[in-house]
């Protein structure tokens, strides 16, 4: 099966150092804080889909739920302006149908949700499903891995660990099943190297760390002065995970 990390050769010279750096920059108390916020996000998503299934949702509630999906933030206003309330309720009702598989629910959501950007629709479906049933469904939005052009923080992580990249983008015909296996491998690899993370949110946290690292390095490479305006890494991680607005009491100086 095609994977970015699993079943591919990882360079042992870099593996230990990579996780040493991650451990230094992502201490236990920050992981625990993010776990707390992600659990809160799960409760919000569960209540939201329950209300959809009971026919209670209004457009302002869809605005709130879309606001906690980082990857579609630039599309939120257009979605709410162009997609009817009936279509919103119909589309999201498929995501809350726990009797169907993740694959079926995503497919039916894509069919029922009349928005032209398939990547945006897919990001909505997979993020909502992950937080609705985090023990069953992994986080797979475009910032994690975008299979049409091979970008995202997963291949960025592979660049560190494999050191065999030939300059070509990672373009793999991933299925949801394969992405689950890749995520399970991340847990195995992390714990083997002393970075103790656990399902269902540990991989989310590691991936958000990698993406924030990528953003900082790209901005800093372009301009040292521009990097001053970029949020600190922990704040950016919360933005990526869609929990920044849920965190109203955190004092970063005390962490």
């Amino acid at each position: 099966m095609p994977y970015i990390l699993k079943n591919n050769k990882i360079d042992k010279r870099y593996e230990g150092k990579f996780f040493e750096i991650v451990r230094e920059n992502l201490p236990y108390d920050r992981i625990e804080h993010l776990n707390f916020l992600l659990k809160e996000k799960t409760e919000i998503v569960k209540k939201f889909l329950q209300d959809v299934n009971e026919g209670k949702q209004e457009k302002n509630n869809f605005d709130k739920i879309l606001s906690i999906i980082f990857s579609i933030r630039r599309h939120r206003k257009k979605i709410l302006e162009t997609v009817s309330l009936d279509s919103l309720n119909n589309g999201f009702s498929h995501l809350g149908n726990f009797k169907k598989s993740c694959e079926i629910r995503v497919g039916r959501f894509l069919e029922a949700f009349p928005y032209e950007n398939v990547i945006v629709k897919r990001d909505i479906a997979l993020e909502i499903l992950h937080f609705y049933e985090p023990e069953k469904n992994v986080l797979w939005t475009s910032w994690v891995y975008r299979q049409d052009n091979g970008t995202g923080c997963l291949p960025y992580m592979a660049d560190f660990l494999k050191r065999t990249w030939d300059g070509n983008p990672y373009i793999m015909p991933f299925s949801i099943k394969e992405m689950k296996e890749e995520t399970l491998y991340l847990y195995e690899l992390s714990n083997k190297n002393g970075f103790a993370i656990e399902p269902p949110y540990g991989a989310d946290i590691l991936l958000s760390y990698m993406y924030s690292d990528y953003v900082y390095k790209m901005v800093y490479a372009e301009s040292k002065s521009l990097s001053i305006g970029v949020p600190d890494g922990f704040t950016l991680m919360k933005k990526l995970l869609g929990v920044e607005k849920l965190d109203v009491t955190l004092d970063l100086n005390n962490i």
Side-chain angles (χ1 to χ4, degrees), residues 12-201:
K12 298 298 181 183
R13 295 173 297 171
Y14 301 103
E15 181 182 339
K17 186 62 178 177
F18 171 84
F19 282 101
E20 178 186 332
I21 293 170
V22 174
R23 291 196 306 270
E24 288 175 357
N25 289 285
L26 199 51
Y28 177 78
D29 50 4
R30 290 201 168 192
I31 293 173
E32 283 301 287
H33 188 80
L34 288 171
N35 271 314
F36 173 81
L37 294 175
L38 292 168
K39 288 176 185 176
E40 185 177 344
K41 180 171 176 176
T42 283
E43 293 306 310
I44 290 170
V45 170
K46 284 183 176 179
K47 178 64 167 60
F48 172 80
L49 288 184
Q50 178 184 336
D51 288 348
V52 166
N53 290 335
E54 294 175 0
K56 295 180 179 178
Q57 293 294 16
E58 299 296 332
K59 221 157 196 181
N60 65 315
N61 293 325
F62 285 100
D63 187 22
K64 291 176 184 176
I65 210 70
L66 293 174
S67 73
I68 59 175
I69 304 175
F70 173 82
S71 60
I72 62 100
R73 64 201 183 284
R74 293 188 182 93
H75 293 262
R76 191 174 97 223
K77 182 178 179 181
K78 186 176 179 181
I79 289 170
L80 295 169
E81 288 176 347
T82 59
V83 180
S84 70
L85 182 58
D86 285 345
S87 293
L88 287 166
N89 275 289
N90 181 37
F92 277 87
S93 69
H94 292 295
L95 300 180
N97 186 356
F98 61 87
K99 295 181 180 179
K100 301 296 182 182
S101 70
C102 180
E103 290 83 355
I104 289 175
R105 283 185 276 178
V106 170
R108 290 184 177 176
F109 176 84
L110 295 178
E111 291 176 358
F113 201 80
Y115 192 69
E116 70 277 9
N117 191 313
V118 175
I119 298 297
V120 168
K121 294 199 295 184
R122 187 175 174 278
D123 277 5
I124 293 171
L126 288 174
E127 177 142 346
I128 292 297
L129 283 174
H130 171 57
F131 285 100
Y132 180 54
E133 297 173 316
E135 295 82 8
K136 294 182 179 180
N137 305 313
V138 298
L139 181 64
W140 184 11
T141 50
S142 52
W143 64 264
V144 172
Y145 176 64
R146 185 166 163 171
Q147 64 192 127
D148 63 324
N149 60 13
T151 60
C153 62
L154 193 57
Y156 177 64
M157 187 185 305
D159 291 348
F160 282 93
L161 293 171
K162 289 171 62 177
R163 298 289 171 170
T164 57
W165 189 51
D166 60 5
N168 295 316
Y170 296 100
I171 301 180
M172 309 288 180
F174 266 11
S175 66
I176 292 175
K177 179 180 181 293
E178 289 167 346
M179 189 63 182
K180 287 179 180 178
E181 293 181 8
E182 186 86 328
T183 301
L184 288 174
Y185 180 68
L186 277 182
Y187 285 111
E188 177 187 329
L189 188 65
S190 298
N191 284 281
K192 183 184 76 171
N193 284 279
F195 183 58
I197 54 173
E198 297 179 353
Y201 306 116

